[in-house]
Amino acid sequence: ARILHTSPNLPARIGFVCFSRSFGGLEMTTVHLASLLEERGAQVHLIVPPGSPMQQECEARLLSWSPLEPAITYGDLRAAFLLRQLFRRHHLDIAIFLRSQDIHLGALAGIAAAQTKLVFYQQMQSGIAKKDIFHRAVFSRLSAWLTLTGIMRDEVLTWTTMPASRVHTAYLGRDEQAFRPSKQKRHDQFKELETKYKNIGFIGILPDDISEYNLDLPEGIDPYEDNVF
């Protein structure tokens, strides 16, 4: 509310939009934040694919949700129209997106639903330039862009045309000094593991094929059979 200048005297009506059919770290974060905000008095509504793990999690947590799934990744005008209807039907003050590929549908929906402020909550670093006309137009519809660290915020200002006044850092308890992904030597860290622990860590979903990561695992460790967390 402070960032978006919404009224602090009324419960915010917040929507979470995520069209993913996976259920990894990003999707878990989505439902966790929704539950947390609802506990703090916000009116929360999630827009997720029907029959997806996210729908099941919404039902398990007794969260309000609506089904919607674009037929194509980009340019689904029907999905944008239905998203606009959901914004209006649930009188959403704020719609939070956690995947960059979903923002353009919110931008299209927001043209005719101006009362809903769009927010992108970035979960992963990205060093890809997005200053082309398409991204300029899409990102111009965002009222706020939230990042996890100051380094991520600097990257947003470098690689996009987002105004600095709209890009904010929400640390959520993370230690910015310790968490510097760009400075980490990922593969060297695994060499320091003591074999007695027999575990490795993956953030997100363990991929079917980990050979591309060139992990130097201790001898005898099977990441699919041993203690994976």
Side-chain angles (χ1 to χ4, degrees), residues 46-227:
L46 290 91
I47 301 171
V48 300
S52 65
M54 290 198 69
Q55 175 195 325
Q56 297 171 11
E57 190 67 16
C58 288
E59 292 175 343
R61 293 176 180 243
L62 302 179
L63 293 168
S64 172
W65 65 278
S66 291
L68 181 61
E69 183 172 25
I72 54 178
T73 303
Y74 291 100
D76 189 333
L77 297 180
R78 178 180 178 276
F81 174 77
L82 294 175
L83 187 60
R84 182 195 70 180
Q85 287 187 320
L86 290 172
F87 285 175
R88 289 179 166 179
R89 182 182 307 158
H90 296 281
H91 308 286
L92 297 182
D93 299 313
I94 302 167
I96 300 176
F97 295 78
L98 286 90
R99 304 196 316 164
S100 60
Q101 62 263 49
D102 297 337
I103 301 174
H104 76 287
L105 290 178
L108 290 171
I111 294 174
Q115 81 283 357
T116 303
K117 295 182 178 181
L118 308 181
V119 175
F120 176 43
Y121 186 21
Q122 181 186 2
Q123 298 293 298
M124 300 177 65
Q125 282 187 282
S126 174
I128 301 174
K130 296 183 178 180
K131 295 185 176 182
D132 55 90
I133 295 176
F134 172 77
H135 285 99
R136 282 174 180 262
V138 170
F139 294 160
S140 69
R141 303 295 304 176
L142 291 173
S143 294
W145 183 314
L146 306 182
T147 67
L148 296 178
T149 69
I151 293 175
M152 292 171 70
R153 181 179 186 274
D154 292 341
E155 288 183 344
V156 173
L157 299 179
T158 298
W159 298 110
T160 76
T161 57
M162 280 292 293
S165 60
R166 297 187 193 177
V167 185
H168 310 273
T169 301
Y171 297 107
L172 292 180
R174 291 167 174 82
D175 185 345
E176 185 188 31
Q177 299 303 315
F179 182 67
R180 291 179 176 269
S182 62
K183 304 295 184 182
Q184 300 298 320
K185 297 179 180 178
R186 288 176 289 178
H187 304 320
D188 291 345
Q189 290 178 338
F190 285 97
K191 295 179 180 179
E192 299 174 4
L193 287 175
E194 297 185 41
T195 56
K196 66 179 181 180
Y197 293 127
K198 291 193 175 183
N199 55 47
I200 64 171
F202 259 88
I203 297 176
I205 300 173
L206 190 65
D208 294 331
D209 181 11
I210 64 171
S211 61
E212 63 181 290
Y213 293 92
N214 298 318
L215 300 179
D216 187 6
L217 302 177
E219 184 178 355
I221 293 296
D222 184 338
Y224 297 97
E225 298 295 335
D226 293 310
N227 182 23

